[in-house]
Amino acid sequence: MGGMSGNHVIRGSVSLPEAELMWRFSRSSGPGGQHVNTSDSQVELRFDLARTEALPEVWKRRALERLAGRLVDGVVTVRASEHRSQWRNREAAAVRLAALLAEATAPPPKPRRPTRIPRGINERRLREKKQRSDTKRGRSGRDWG
């Protein structure tokens, strides 16, 4: 991996703007030895979705709508503490944020157009149902006495 380039691509040519990412580091409750108690390896990454200029307007509206439950004053927060090193947690947090935004800005799926069932298939199904019911009717044993 190169330096902190910060281009975690969201989609197409749009990527996370390094300048707009707010990082905060704190002690992690994750794995580690004695050293972990003194190092700030937990990473909290905040991104001001409401005020960003990096996203196309449409995407921004879409993301604000879909992430409404996660936002605090228009800011989305991602935490990472699964790695022992702050550096790897930063990577993890940035990747997670990029994935979150990619999902939140994705265009809505096309509406489903119901397909018509060909007449032949429908008729065959009805024929088979009738045959089956005749078979079962024949089993009821009324005329067997």
Side-chain angles (χ1 to χ4, degrees), residues 106-141:
K110 288 200 173 81
R112 181 184 173 282
R113 285 191 32 220
T115 50
R116 281 200 48 205
I117 299 170
R119 204 163 109 213
I121 289 179
N122 219 4
E123 283 174 359
R124 187 178 72 206
R125 183 179 63 88
L126 293 174
R127 236 194 348 269
E128 282 169 3
K129 273 178 70 140
K130 198 164 168 52
Q131 225 170 7
R132 191 99 191 109
S133 85
D134 288 347
T135 306
K136 289 189 169 188
R137 227 184 34 244
R139 289 182 190 152
S140 63

Side-chain angles (χ1 to χ4, degrees), residues 4 11 14 16 20 22 30 32 42 47 51 54 70 78 89 92 100 114 118 126-128 137-139 145:
M4 250 334 241
R11 209 171 51 249
V14 181
L16 286 177
E20 294 186 29
M22 296 168 281
Q42 171 169 293
F47 178 64
R51 291 189 196 76
R70 284 195 61 155
V78 176
N89 279 332
L100 185 71
L126 293 174
R127 236 194 348 269
E128 282 169 3
R137 227 184 34 244
R139 289 182 190 152

Side-chain angles (χ1 to χ4, degrees), residues 1-140:
M1 282 189 290
M4 250 334 241
S5 52
N7 21 358
H8 287 280
V9 177
I10 298 174
R11 209 171 51 249
S13 60
V14 181
S15 55
L16 286 177
E18 188 59 47
E20 294 186 29
L21 300 181
M22 296 168 281
W23 298 94
R24 214 169 72 204
F25 308 102
S26 52
R27 292 197 188 138
S28 171
S29 61
Q34 293 94 322
H35 169 67
V36 82
N37 304 326
T38 58
S39 64
D40 294 341
S41 60
Q42 171 169 293
V43 172
E44 190 180 281
L45 173 57
R46 294 166 54 208
F47 178 64
D48 195 336
L49 190 55
R51 291 189 196 76
T52 184
E53 297 292 309
L55 298 179
E57 198 51 46
V58 193
W59 287 23
K60 199 156 107 173
R61 267 204 312 277
R62 225 178 268 159
L64 284 168
E65 217 168 278
R66 291 192 187 160
L67 297 175
R70 284 195 61 155
L71 299 175
V72 183
D73 297 333
V75 176
V76 64
T77 307
V78 176
R79 262 192 210 92
S81 59
E82 61 270 26
H83 299 295
R84 283 176 62 168
S85 86
Q86 186 193 91
W87 166 244
R88 288 180 56 197
N89 279 332
R90 283 176 76 148
E91 276 295 303
V95 166
R96 213 170 287 167
L97 180 62
L100 185 71
L101 289 174
E103 205 174 302
T105 58
K110 288 200 173 81
R112 181 184 173 282
R113 285 191 32 220
T115 50
R116 281 200 48 205
I117 299 170
R119 204 163 109 213
I121 289 179
N122 219 4
E123 283 174 359
R124 187 178 72 206
R125 183 179 63 88
L126 293 174
R127 236 194 348 269
E128 282 169 3
K129 273 178 70 140
K130 198 164 168 52
Q131 225 170 7
R132 191 99 191 109
S133 85
D134 288 347
T135 306
K136 289 189 169 188
R137 227 184 34 244
R139 289 182 190 152
S140 63

